[in-house]
């Protein structure tokens, strides 16, 4: 019988969770409204109640949890502004007490990298970097088959490497960070901040609220300014990834997230700009791949994958 | 009895070599004029002749070799323009045949990192990056006590990460690479390219040929323009190292090379600019240390350290 992990992605609005077997097959998935549970114990109980009578429940070997302000070292959620639970929540302990199996708290960028390695586009790779293009830009680094964690647990913050001098202001208080350009937020900022003679003919300027997906849709429909934004985003990202190759010398970058998965062309343009900017020793050696995981359940897969990864590491070491 | 390694640094002009024990003590050191040996076998024989009658020769367990255009995978010197030996030279094989002990070819940036880890300023560290400021800028990365090699063996090319947009032209064919600013060559370029109202009063402009060391000496003697160049160099380097922390989250950077070791103040200025530019999660967490190895024999120590490291890795794995 196959081993099963429970992957849980706690968000401010919803908590998605699912059961994954060791091949990455999603056996069950649903979500609950986080805010409806006044104390975290109630959410834990509600998830337990939904799963405990399944015939495969005895195959459950552990739980991977993703949460805002989760401290992977302590297993606690710490002062999360987007949750109604205040202060320090010992979330790993709560799940372990109820489910009687090991639980781990997973960093979302690292969970994405582990998910790609176990179940996605990086199954065949030992040296790769995942780039998650969401509200910000997250990255997870594998080196020689091992996840890079770093001295303080903060390795792989590629979104906050500055790539444009005196560039866009970033939430971190500095300027020109990669994620102010290469992220869904960055794409939307480009509508106001990218200059082009084609700008004022664009459909994008006639809309009230535009999200990054619409920019990509308009580009595909032939809007010249929208296409320029897509190309600019690919150029900034590709040029940055060319330079970042000088860190870990990866075999591939795996792009994940709505805009990266909008279609193959974006990844192709990133690859083009990576090649155009790469040091000679890195030219034609680095692939840009699109994630094989789907946006909808990637967080659940990633957190479950983190649990498998954690147990496997502890059994071999 | 202690084990001994022979470290050899083959240069276009001279070949320095020495015997190092496992504590890093230099037992013997000398050099031979590379160009005087028409074929590499003759240099190997000359080194052998100088060492074979030493009482400690039977403690020799191996040889670490640094060489221009050395291919660490094949153990060959390949088409080195600065050597009189043409084509492919199986240098590892030649030393092994004569000395009857294992030999390895070492990458100089990696040898520096291993040297610092075994014998220098990084003895107590598992996560650090060495920055060698010479003609260019070399870097060697340790992660969790392991040297980072990379998928193709090219990890840690920090000198060729572009840090100034449309900046100085680099030998690699691109612009703004870190080493065009932070290296002895970069410091000399700053004399012509750094603009300041204090420039034309500077002693530096009244000299015919100025090297980086003289810029540092003039700065120490109170020359304002020279001080500005030193500060500018520290600012570009510190700012870059702040961003690069987002890759491996190191505990420390170790600065090596003439200008880095000119005195504590340069490292202090690099630390200042690193702090001023670091993402919050990295602030006050990363040390900037000065190498404890001396310029004169660092290459010999590093190549010998590489041999110890290599044999140790192969015995534990």
């Amino acid at each position: 019988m196959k081993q099963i992990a429970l992957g849980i992605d706690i968000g401010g609005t919803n908590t998605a969770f699912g059961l994954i077997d060791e091949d990455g097959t999603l056996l069950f998935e649903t979500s609950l409204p986080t805010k409806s549970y006044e104390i975290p114990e109630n959410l834990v109980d509600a998830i337990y109640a939904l799963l405990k009578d399944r015939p495969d429940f005895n195959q459950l070997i552990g739980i991977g949890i993703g949460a805002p302000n989760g401290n992977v070292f302590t297993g606690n959620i710490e002062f999360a502004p987007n949750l109604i639970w205040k202060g320090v929540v010992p979330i790993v302990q709560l799940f372990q007490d109820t489910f009687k199996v090991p639980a781990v708290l997973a960093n979302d960028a690292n969970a994405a990298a582990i998910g790609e390695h176990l179940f996605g586009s990086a199954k065949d790779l030992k040296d790769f970097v995942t780039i998650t293009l969401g509200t910000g830009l997250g990255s997870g680094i594998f080196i020689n088959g091992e996840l890079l964690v770093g001295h303080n647990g903060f390795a792989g913050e590629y979104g906050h490497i500055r790539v444009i001098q005196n560039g866009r202001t970033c939430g971190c208080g500095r300027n020109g960070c990669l994620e102010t350009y290469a992220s869904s937020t960055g794409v939307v900022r480009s509508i106001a901040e990218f200059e082009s003679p084609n700008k004022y003919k664009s459909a994008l300027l006639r809309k009230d609220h535009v999200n990054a997906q619409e920019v990509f849709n308009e580009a595909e429909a032939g809007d010249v300014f929208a296409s320029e934004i897509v190309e600019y985003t690919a150029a900034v990202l590709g040029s940055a990834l060319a330079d970042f190759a000088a860190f870990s010398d990866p075999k591939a970058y795996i792009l994940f997230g709505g805009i990266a998965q909008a279609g193959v062309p974006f990844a192709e343009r990133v690859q083009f700009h990576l090649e155009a900017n790469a040091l000679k020793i890195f030219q034609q050696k680095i692939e840009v791949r699109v994630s094989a995981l789907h946006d909808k359940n990637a967080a659940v897969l990633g957190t479950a994958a983190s649990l498998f990864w954690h147990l496997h590491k502890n059994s071999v070491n």
Side-chain angles (χ1 to χ4, degrees), chain A residues 184-199:
Chain A
S184 54
T185 320
V187 168
V188 171
R189 278 179 83 165
S190 288
I191 299 170
E193 301 184 27
F194 185 78
E195 286 307 321
S196 155
N198 299 304
K199 187 165 182 169

Side-chain angles (χ1 to χ4, degrees), chain A residues 1-7 18-27 54 56-63 101-102 118-119 304-305 307-313 315:
Chain A
M1 281 203 303
K2 284 178 182 163
Q3 297 186 323
I4 292 176
L6 169 58
L19 295 170
I20 314 282
D21 73 16
E22 57 202 275
D23 299 326
T25 305
L26 189 63
L27 306 172
R54 290 179 57 91
D56 54 8
F57 190 70
N58 65 330
Q59 292 161 248
L60 185 73
I61 61 161
I63 305 168
V101 291
L118 293 185
F119 306 134
L307 183 278
F308 282 127
W309 185 256
H310 181 80
L311 290 186
H312 175 70
K313 286 285 134 188
S315 71

Side-chain angles (χ1 to χ4, degrees), chain A residues 109-111 113-114 140-143 145-150 309 313:
Chain A
N110 291 348
I114 295 169
I141 304 168
F142 262 76
I143 289 172
E146 298 286 342
L147 181 72
L148 174 57
V149 177
W309 185 256
K313 286 285 134 188

Side-chain angles (χ1 to χ4, degrees), chain A residues 249-261:
Chain A
D249 180 14
K251 171 71 185 145
Y253 289 107
I254 319 282
L255 306 185
F256 174 81
I259 62 173
Q261 294 171 296

